[in-house]
Amino acid sequence: QVQLVESGGGLVQAGGSLRLSCAASRGIFDRLAMGWFRQAPGKERDLVAAINWIGSSTYYADSVKGRFTISRDNAKNTVYLQMNSLKAEDTAVYYCARSRTTAPDRASEYVYWGQGTQVTVSS
């Protein structure tokens, strides 16, 4: 059974940092892209950052470029999202997801999802 478990969310002041982690069950990590999505109340779920298997290709939404960094440790079946210089508009539920493909930027190809972790940035 495919399992993705996020952790690291919480409440932080604007300008602060958080690091999200996503632990994947064995066997689902192999050679496929991983990504982080977010969904704010009343808005669609959007792809925020994604990374291919070996970390040579990444995708970032324009709104987070220069502030967020995605990385993965394949030996630990874990993907991370380092979020710096957080803004109130970053407030959302953040979801870890696994793609069906190796390309990180194809949002429609992400089919396995974690339960989400809340990130709240106070201004």
Side-chain angles (χ1 to χ4, degrees):
Q1 184 176 356
V2 174
Q3 282 192 315
L4 297 169
V5 180
E6 302 99 334
S7 61
L11 174 64
V12 64
Q13 289 188 332
S17 298
L18 282 175
R19 188 193 195 202
L20 305 183
S21 298
C22 172
S25 56
R26 293 184 66 180
I28 76 163
F29 228 52
D30 293 350
R31 309 197 181 280
L32 297 171
M34 295 291 296
W36 287 94
F37 288 70
R38 69 184 181 188
Q39 187 169 23
K43 296 188 177 181
E44 294 186 352
R45 188 177 300 188
D46 293 324
L47 180 61
V48 173
I51 188 168
N52 69 344
W53 166 249
I54 61 173
S56 61
S57 178
T58 56
Y59 165 86
Y60 294 98
D62 288 343
S63 57
V64 307
K65 282 181 181 177
R67 300 188 298 122
F68 290 12
T69 302
I70 189 169
S71 61
R72 64 191 292 171
D73 184 337
N74 293 332
K76 296 182 179 179
N77 289 335
T78 302
V79 63
Y80 305 97
L81 185 66
Q82 178 67 43
M83 305 186 293
N84 299 328
S85 302
L86 283 161
K87 305 175 181 180
E89 51 263 44
D90 294 319
T91 296
V93 178
Y94 284 72
Y95 297 89
C96 174
R98 198 208 77 178
S99 177
R100 293 181 295 192
T101 77
T102 58
D105 59 344
R106 299 181 184 176
S108 62
E109 297 296 332
Y110 286 83
V111 295
Y112 293 105
W113 300 88
Q115 82 287 352
T117 185
Q118 177 70 47
V119 171
T120 303
V121 184
S122 62
S123 57

